[in-house]
Structure formats: C-alpha cells, structure tokens
Amino acid sequence: MEPTDLPPESNHPSKEQSTFNTSDVDALRVSVLSEALPYIQRFAGKRIVIKYGGAAMVDKHLKKAVLRDIALLSSVGVQPVVVHGGGPEINFWLNRLDIKTEFLDGLRVTDSQTMDIVEMVLVGRVNKQIVTGINQLGALSIGLCGIDGNLIESRPFNKGRYGLVGEISKVNAEVLEPLLSKGYIPVISSVASSEEGGSLNINADTVAGELAAALGAEKLILLTDTPGILRNKNDPSSLISKIRLSEIRQLTKDGVVEGGMMPKTECCIRALAQGVSAAHIINGKIPHAILLEVFTNIGIGTMVVSSG
Ligand code: ADP
Ligand code: MG
C-alpha cells in the first residue's frame, strides 16, 4: 500500500473508542494479522515456488489478488519465485489464428506453429503482464524463461511423442541467486531450448516442481482451477486435504487423477523426493488463496507431504 492510501491520523479511532467500537470485521482483520506472525517468522528468508495458471489468470480481480499476495510475501521477507502457465491466453491466440490444439496426458501436443504461439504468448505477453503487475505493487520482479542464462536445459519429452514438448534435463538455478539475494521476484515462463537450439514447451507445473527442488524451496504451491485433488473430479466435496507421497502415485494408477492433474501430482512427487517439505495444490479461484495457505491455520486445497 502506498503511504498516501493510509487513512489520515484523525480518522483513527481513539484508543478508548476502539475498545468499544471495534467491529467484527476489524477484529477479524487484526486476528488474521496476528495469526500470521509465527508463519511470517517461519518463512522469512525461505523460498516458496508458486505455479500461477488456470482460472486465477483469467479473472482481472483474482489476478490482482494473486499478484498482491506475491508482493506481500516478498515484503515480509519470503522469497517467492513465480512460474506461470498461460493456457487460456494461448488457446485464445491459437483460436484466432485457426490453429487446432490437442491435449494428451494433460500436455499440449505442440507442433512448430503452435510452439511459435506458445513462445510469443508466454514469454512475450503473459510474462511481461505479470512482471508489470508485481512492479506496480511496489515489489520488483524480473521476467525470465528457461532459455535465459540457460536456466533450464531440456530435451524432447518421450522421444517427441508430444511434438515440441520438452522434459527437463538440468536446472541451473544459480542464475536466480543474484536476483533473489537482491530481493527481486523471478517470474519464469516455461519455455526452454533444446541442445540443438530450438524452443521446447514444458509443462509449467513440471518447471515449478524442478525449480522448487533446485532452489531448496520450503514450499511448492500450485494454483489451479479445482479445490485440489478430488477423489471424484466432478465432486468438489471429495477433496483430499492431505496425502502422503507414498499414497499419491496410486491415485493415477486408479484413474482418480488424470489429464492436467497428472503433471501436478508428478511434480509434487519429484519436488518432495528432492527435499521440498510440502507441496500444495490449491484453488486459485479463492481470493488470496496463497496467503490463506501460507499465513493461516486454515490450510486449503491438497497438501502433499513426505510422511506423517
Ligand atoms: P492448470 O491450468 O491449473 O494447469 P489443468 O487443466 O492443466 O489446469 O489441470 C487441472 C484439471 O485437472 C482440472 O480442471 C480437472 O479437470 C483435472 N483433473 C483430473 N483429475 C483430477 C482430480 N482427481 N482432481 C481434480 N482435478 C482433476
Ligand atoms: Mg495444466
């Protein structure tokens, strides 16, 4: 908040008044802030990788709320790293250019024409919109993709079964260290280059998971358009709120997890196996979902933990 947004001093109720007139809303605000203290202390100086995509990216108000949460994390000393998708915007441009698109196992089958659009939309447009949005909130962010500083080395996934979809062969996370140490928020598009120099489209969940592992992140948060992992994907009340690493693979085997949820569960598995303490799959349609997850006791969505 800009200092000018603060109410003038004369608007503040006197101490005596506030004892009697504090509204329930004010009381709630203060208790939420107070509840945040141990969480702020716990996460200050730690890294949290946030995958931003899906519905929270389309709605203007939600988008603002997400970026505000990220800026707030940074201003209380947490080091957020943002990895973004851009499915809806890519679909919009593919549609406009009359290019058909197809998903297989939750991944966009990517021919060279589609790759051009993916790269232009993600790296050129979506990335810069997020960076601008964060900068406008008074935090500083820098946009990169996997190609910059060779952050992500990749090769065609599954021998090219999905076209120009890449899998990660190596993450050179040291590229981000000078930025993080200076308080910049890195915003990363999930495009990388192959050894031959062509661009590859990598699922943004996969990038977020590998980056979280390589950066030694405390948490991985995947914002999506469902409440979390559902036992029955058509029934929002069937949310699995906590699941152990040892149980999660079975969900795919049983057909409970499919489509776009597959790369999410897979990246949680990989991140946790490489030392990230917890991964959360949460509903980006809930305003301030990130703050709720990080700074309150409430805990929303699905939390994936190694054990316990
Ligand atoms: P994002 O843009 O967040 O990556 P995706 O469409 O790729 O979104 O992935 C989320 C989708 O995964 C959900 O909208 C839902 O259709 C699908 N899905 C498949 N299985 C499940 C499940 N068990 N629980 C929740 N969602 C699931
Ligand atoms: Mg997806």
Side-chain angles (χ1 to χ4, degrees), residues 1 6 12 23 32 45 49 55 58 75 82 86 91 113 129 136 139 147 151 205 229 261 265 274 285 289 296:
M1 193 192 283
L6 292 170
H12 289 191
S23 70
V32 168
V49 175
V58 185
S75 65
V82 181
N91 290 341
Q113 221 184 357
Q129 282 178 343
Q136 279 183 323
I147 300 169
L151 176 61
D205 301 316
I229 303 177
M261 195 50 74
T265 52
Q274 294 176 82
K285 288 190 276 189
T296 73

Side-chain angles (χ1 to χ4, degrees), residues 227-287:
I229 303 177
L230 305 173
R231 209 154 269 292
N232 168 3
K233 86 174 167 88
N234 300 315
D235 176 8
S237 71
S238 67
L239 175 70
I240 301 172
S241 33
K242 191 170 174 187
I243 187 160
R244 277 190 292 268
L245 200 52
S246 55
E247 300 163 327
I248 197 169
R249 212 159 239 148
Q250 194 60 36
L251 292 178
T252 309
K253 284 192 191 136
D254 293 345
V256 170
V257 159
E258 51 181 35
M261 195 50 74
M262 284 166 68
K264 290 186 204 306
T265 52
E266 192 55 37
C267 87
C268 292
I269 295 170
R270 291 191 48 83
L272 264 67
Q274 294 176 82
V276 177
S277 313
H280 305 258
I281 302 173
I282 63 176
N283 192 349
K285 288 190 276 189
I286 300 173

